[in-house]
Amino acid sequence: MHATTTALHAHPEPKRGFLIVWGWLLALTGFEVVLAYQHLALKVMLLMLMAISVVKAALIIAYFMHLIYERKSLVLTLMPAMVFVIAMLFVVFPDSVRLLNMRPH
Amino acid sequence: MSSPPLNAATVPDSVWNGGVSPYAILPKKLGMWLFIVSDAITFSSLIVAYSYVRVASQNWPRPFQLWPSIANAAVMTVVLLTSSITVVMAVRAAKIGQRGVAAGWLLATMLGGIVFDVLHIHEWLGLIGDGVRLFRNPWGVPMFGASFFALTGLHMLHVTIGVFYLGVIAWGFHRARFTSDDVEISGLYWHFVDLVWMFLFPLVYLLSAKVS
């Protein structure tokens, strides 16, 4: 572990890579704002905005949070469990549609 | 014929073998990662709750005009993304032993956090001025205020805590009381705060933008 830290001391990552990621994040944010003003169905809009957000989150986790350079075992310990728990939160979600349909129109 | 006993020499090399440092990171860094995972689940549950009440409500309000609300939130997003690149620079400087430079980048990051908070409080005050409260608002959908203030308030609390956290780390690292690992770990927290906003901005603001 100390050997890894020493290696990082000797060879800092180039700034250019981080600036490119930052540029992409800004560009995707701009695209999201433009997209929000297009006349699309709410479901399509939601799907597109969330897809862009997932890409932005992946860029931040991989490059800014350095996970792409960590051991695969750390990634496999953290990410699948988190994604699974978040996915399970949606188990109750269809009930919201039931509530909407029960309201008097 | 019995197979040889398993030991370090006979077990094939694998990332799952364990050892003294199976993930090759410091325990405190693993601790921060575990906190981030649990906090991500906290925010996700709030986002799911917001989505639930939004789908279950008729005529969810779309009060955010391009100017000032969406423009303000877009500037907040740019500020937060920029503060992420300044914290990256702080970690990079810390790793090569430039204590003063790293502390400077951390101060720049804190400034980004403060600007974000000021813009956000301005946005809150605008909505409160329009009559939005936790459980009532002019549009007749009571849960709008509760979900908006809960989601953005919890995030703003994280930004504020982050500003103080980075301040302590900048001060301690400048005085050689903390190591570059501490700067890196505080950076992980800050990036996470940035990451959460990448979901709140489209979900809370863009999907409630007033489109003519």
Side-chain angles (χ1 to χ4, degrees):
Chain A
M1 181 163 53
H2 291 294
T4 312
T5 314
T6 313
L8 279 172
H9 279 216
H11 303 289
E13 286 125 2
K15 291 176 190 172
R16 194 167 172 270
F18 291 125
L19 291 172
I20 290 171
V21 172
W22 179 60
W24 271 106
L25 289 168
L26 291 179
L28 288 169
T29 301
F31 181 62
E32 280 182 322
V33 175
V34 173
L35 190 65
Y37 285 88
Q38 306 306 308
H39 292 278
L40 298 171
L42 187 63
K43 282 178 188 170
V44 177
M45 179 86 79
L46 176 67
L47 208 64
M48 291 179 78
L49 286 174
M50 283 302 94
I52 297 168
S53 294
V54 168
V55 171
K56 288 165 77 178
L59 284 172
I60 291 171
I61 292 172
Y63 294 99
F64 287 176
M65 298 172 88
H66 242 244
L67 208 56
I68 203 167
Y69 304 112
E70 305 287 2
R71 278 197 179 176
K72 200 168 72 178
S73 60
L74 179 67
V75 181
L76 291 175
T77 301
L78 297 173
M79 291 300 139
M82 186 183 73
V83 171
F84 177 75
V85 173
I86 292 172
M88 290 305 286
L89 292 173
F90 285 91
V91 163
V92 294
F93 203 79
D95 195 49
S96 60
V97 181
R98 183 186 65 84
L99 277 178
L100 181 66
N101 291 334
M102 280 172 65
R103 289 183 193 278
H105 290 283
Chain B
M1 188 176 161
S2 62
S3 53
L6 290 175
N7 57 44
T10 56
V11 173
D13 190 30
S14 159
V15 293
W16 301 108
N17 275 354
V20 291
S21 182
Y23 300 121
I25 59 173
L26 292 174
K28 54 188 172 184
K29 188 171 167 183
L30 180 61
M32 178 54 83
W33 267 114
L34 293 175
F35 166 75
I36 286 171
V37 166
S38 66
D39 216 22
I41 293 166
T42 302
F43 272 107
S44 299
S45 52
L46 271 179
I47 287 172
V48 169
Y50 157 69
S51 308
Y52 184 101
V53 294
R54 181 164 179 165
V55 169
S57 305
Q58 285 171 325
N59 304 320
W60 189 266
R62 287 169 160 259
F64 299 122
Q65 304 268 8
L66 179 59
W67 183 264
S69 293
I70 297 296
N72 191 57
V75 171
M76 284 158 62
T77 309
V78 172
V79 168
L80 214 51
L81 283 172
T82 306
S83 74
S84 252
I85 199 79
T86 57
V87 90
V88 162
M89 294 304 170
V91 174
R92 191 176 177 277
K95 292 284 180 191
I96 53 176
Q98 296 177 329
R99 290 188 178 273
V101 176
W105 282 118
L106 286 175
L107 289 176
T109 310
M110 290 167 65
L111 182 66
I114 292 166
V115 170
F116 180 91
D117 270 354
V118 168
L119 290 173
H120 214 162
I121 288 167
H122 179 257
E123 176 69 26
W124 270 40
L125 292 176
L127 278 174
I128 292 168
D130 289 342
V132 180
R133 300 289 185 272
L134 268 181
F135 297 109
R136 65 186 161 83
N137 55 64
W139 310 292
V141 181
M143 292 306 287
F144 174 83
S147 57
F148 176 83
F149 289 125
L151 275 169
T152 59
L154 186 66
H155 182 263
M156 200 167 16
L157 178 68
H158 277 71
V159 173
T160 308
I161 290 170
V163 169
F164 284 105
Y165 178 23
L166 292 178
V168 171
I169 295 295
W171 175 82
F173 185 69
H174 192 55
R175 281 163 180 72
R177 293 190 182 189
F178 295 133
T179 66
S180 61
D181 294 310
D182 297 308
V183 178
E184 186 185 352
I185 292 164
S186 66
L188 281 179
Y189 174 85
W190 193 260
H191 292 311
F192 171 70
V193 171
D194 184 14
L195 188 155
V196 170
W197 185 252
M198 295 306 117
F199 287 93
L200 294 187
F201 174 55
L203 283 172
V204 174
Y205 280 94
L206 294 182
L207 285 174
S208 297
K210 193 169 193 169
V211 182
S212 57

